[in-house]
Amino acid sequence: MTRRADASPDRPAAGEDTIAAIATPLGEGGIGIVRVSGPEALTIATRLFRPSRRGPRQGRLESYRLRHGRVVTVGGETIDEALLAVMRRPRSYTREDVVEFQCHGGPMVVRRVLEEVLAAGAKLAQPGEFTKRAFLNGRLDLAEAEAVMAVIRARTEASLRAALENLGGRLSARVRALQERLTRAIAQVEAGVDFPDDEVDESPFGPLRGECEAIRGSLAELIASAHTGKILRQGLKVVLAGRPNVGKSSLLNALLREGRAIVTPVPGTTRDAIEETLDLRGVPVRLVDTAGLRATADPVESLGVERSREWLRAADIVLAVVDGSEGLHEEDRQLLRELRDGAIVLANKVDLLPGGRLPPELAAELVHHSGGRPLVAVSAATGEGLGSLEDELLRFVYAGGAEAPEEALVGSVRAEEALRRALGALDQAFATLSQGLPDDLAVVDLREAWGALGEVTGETVTEDILDRLFAEFCVGK
Ligand code: GDP
């Protein structure tokens, strides 16, 4: 591992290249920023930036001072009027010397400035390379680095809040606390192994069993939060299902009116389904209507049915819609029978019913067929019941609660996998002990759990994992 957890402020990032990239989206905008980090950053800035006034200290580029001037080519020709921000190591994002040219936000301007910076000796940064350096120089741990990306990608309030918590080290703190408890447990078992007390012939692990079980419990709790974390990052995928004319498209539109449509970089509308992303009380929801995919004898159309099944399989939650103003059809019953756990049954069109209430026989039949899944009476036409539907959806997101728990949320699939491995190793330790095998074998498992936890924060992580993780970042971050 090359990480310098205690990188000294006085030690230059020896041997490192100076990297540069455009840090703002390419396009027309108020400003465009070219960011430079590394040992040559200040030299490059001195060569390419002509301040309009001399600074108080004879042109020395002072940290945290914004200077106005011109960006020039290596040959001295003006490229743009700009501000230069200087952040000297170690008080910068990467803990290296960082300069940022804040130019006019035109694609040509920022490209020209970048070209000059490269001509002056910097090399083009890889995606995520600034953040990777921040990690390697001990400025961020890996869970925090992942949170940086989650902050950038957040499209709703709850997603942003969860990402910011982890950027502030919430998940890391939880994981480190678990690691410390494991360390203490390991030390005690080892002490017992090394100095067996002849008078006590019970296993030194014995008294620690409770503590290890408690650690296991906390770990399992943390892993359970990955469900919410993933939904906040990727959106809750909700698929509307039901026979034609029960009101699926009407419900999709009604829900869109309730929430706020989110424009995502990935267009959701496919050939066989309509997908809309909306912000439902701060939670991103991807709503899919597979209308148009009908059960039919026509072989081409039945392809659509297969696709519709795939959508249902991929859903976090299926909204099984029936027409509450009619009795159940055989097709409805079949849909209800096929439902898996993540499903809510919607009886739509209750506005057509006297008093807006489902007839008792229909209600009873729905309860019977829906196997204990939540049942909500709604009207796409009047909006009735949509609030209850949202409550049910949020209960699924927050695993029972109505809003995000105070607890840390696991912030990436990678972290979740590492935590699951840690849990597996703990279980292995219990298995080892219950088979009556020696305690030091259990210690091997405990150490493995400790190492897996360390992967979350990046204390124990391979170069390969790092490369893959940072490759997902944007250039300039
Ligand atoms: P889909 O085929 O399941 O997508 O159904 P649509 O959304 O196209 O709706 C079928 C018909 O039912 C349309 O004429 C809608 O106006 C009507 N409809 C849908 N929802 C309601 C509702 O809640 N109340 C009433 N009265 N009509 C509805």
Side-chain angles (χ1 to χ4, degrees):
M1 246 331 288
T2 47
R3 183 171 193 230
R4 290 184 289 272
D6 56 350
S8 149
D10 303 321
R11 186 159 40 117
E16 297 251 40
D17 296 320
T18 295
I19 51 169
I22 298 168
T24 41
L26 264 191
E28 291 181 16
I31 53 171
I33 295 178
V34 174
R35 184 185 237 184
V36 190
S37 175
E40 293 299 315
L42 297 173
T43 317
I44 290 173
T46 312
R47 276 180 79 187
L48 301 181
F49 189 77
R50 299 273 177 278
S52 18
R53 277 201 256 157
R54 290 203 142 225
R57 295 191 32 206
Q58 293 304 313
R60 180 186 140 87
L61 294 173
E62 279 180 274
S63 199
Y64 292 106
R65 187 178 285 270
L66 211 53
R67 306 195 65 183
H68 177 263
R70 288 175 300 129
V71 187
V72 296
T73 62
V74 179
E77 181 198 335
T78 299
I79 306 176
D80 193 18
E81 179 194 2
L83 292 176
L84 179 74
V86 177
M87 287 145 284
R88 285 175 180 263
R89 75 188 156 83
R91 293 180 56 209
S92 72
Y93 185 65
T94 55
R95 283 204 170 160
E96 301 173 337
D97 284 336
V98 171
V99 298
E100 288 177 3
F101 295 94
Q102 304 187 357
C103 316
H104 287 107
M108 191 60 205
V109 180
V110 282
R111 252 189 226 132
R112 285 284 291 116
V113 173
L114 177 64
E115 277 166 17
E116 278 321 303
V117 169
L118 298 180
K123 104 182 163 44
L124 190 62
Q126 301 289 314
E129 197 170 355
F130 292 93
T131 310
K132 186 177 181 183
R133 288 187 175 196
F135 165 70
L136 291 174
N137 290 330
R139 157 88 168 56
L140 293 168
D141 70 30
L142 217 50
E144 291 163 350
E146 284 176 326
V148 167
M149 211 53 226
V151 166
I152 291 175
R153 294 203 173 130
R155 294 289 182 274
T156 64
E157 204 186 311
S159 312
L160 178 58
R161 216 180 314 124
L164 283 172
E165 290 285 354
N166 283 350
L167 182 58
R170 184 158 220 164
L171 175 62
S172 309
R174 273 293 299 271
V175 170
R176 288 213 179 86
L178 287 174
Q179 268 189 309
E180 273 165 33
R181 287 170 71 180
L182 264 180
T183 304
R184 277 199 296 276
I186 290 169
Q188 286 186 46
V189 179
E190 278 182 337
V193 171
D194 291 345
F195 308 101
D197 186 341
D198 289 339
E199 288 172 27
V200 188
D201 64 356
E202 115 188 26
S203 135
F205 195 87
L208 283 168
R209 203 180 172 98
E211 167 65 355
C212 287
E213 267 160 14
I215 295 173
R216 191 199 181 280
S218 301
L219 187 54
E221 225 171 69
L222 198 55
I223 292 172
S225 81
H227 161 85
T228 305
K230 192 168 172 191
I231 289 171
L232 292 180
R233 287 193 314 280
Q234 304 181 352
L236 178 72
K237 193 182 255 189
V238 178
V239 175
L240 287 151
R243 63 186 169 79
N245 284 324
V246 291
K248 296 181 297 298
S249 338
S250 307
L251 278 168
L252 181 121
N253 288 322
L255 283 166
L256 273 177
R257 277 194 300 275
E258 292 278 309
R260 204 158 19 115
I262 304 173
V263 182
T264 58
V266 195
T269 308
T270 64
R271 215 165 54 87
D272 44 292
I274 295 164
E275 181 174 337
E276 298 281 357
T277 305
L278 70 147
D279 178 337
L280 208 76
R281 300 192 208 155
V283 175
V285 172
R286 297 165 61 193
L287 206 53
V288 180
D289 179 12
T290 59
L293 304 180
R294 312 268 186 242
T296 165
D298 178 338
V300 179
E301 281 239 332
S302 66
L303 242 176
V305 175
E306 191 37 51
R307 286 219 190 84
S308 151
R309 289 238 159 80
E310 277 167 30
W311 277 112
L312 293 185
R313 273 195 293 273
D316 291 315
I317 291 208
V318 173
L319 297 183
V321 188
V322 299
D323 187 334
S325 69
E326 297 179 6
L328 288 185
H329 293 208
E330 188 42 42
E331 224 180 314
D332 298 323
R333 290 192 194 95
Q334 192 183 333
L335 171 68
L336 297 178
R337 273 197 298 271
E338 284 178 12
L339 291 180
R340 340 165 251 114
D341 269 353
I344 299 171
V345 181
L346 296 183
N348 188 30
K349 309 195 189 181
V350 289
D351 58 292
L352 296 178
L353 293 166
R357 303 181 75 99
L358 290 179
E361 325 78 71
L362 177 61
E365 208 188 347
L366 280 172
V367 168
H368 171 74
H369 285 294
S370 55
R373 296 187 178 81
L375 167 65
V376 186
V378 293
S379 163
T382 64
E384 194 185 328
L386 291 183
S388 311
L389 168 58
E390 287 174 16
D391 292 344
E392 287 298 339
L393 289 173
L394 292 184
R395 252 198 283 283
F396 181 83
V397 174
Y398 296 128
E403 53 188 76
E406 289 298 307
E407 282 294 315
L409 297 176
V410 175
S412 70
V413 173
R414 185 196 66 83
E416 183 186 350
E417 279 169 1
L419 292 172
R420 284 191 191 284
R421 263 185 286 120
L423 189 72
L426 269 183
D427 284 340
Q428 188 54 49
F430 290 124
T432 301
L433 290 168
S434 56
Q435 283 161 17
L437 294 168
D439 287 345
D440 36 355
L441 281 182
V443 167
V444 173
D445 300 322
L446 294 183
R447 282 192 192 289
E448 197 177 317
W450 189 92
L453 287 175
E455 280 180 37
V456 175
T457 52
E459 247 169 85
T460 53
V461 77
T462 61
E463 218 37 71
D464 182 45
I465 290 177
L466 287 187
D467 287 343
R468 253 181 297 145
L469 191 152
F470 287 106
E472 283 174 27
F473 277 56
C474 23
V475 174
K477 189 70 228 180

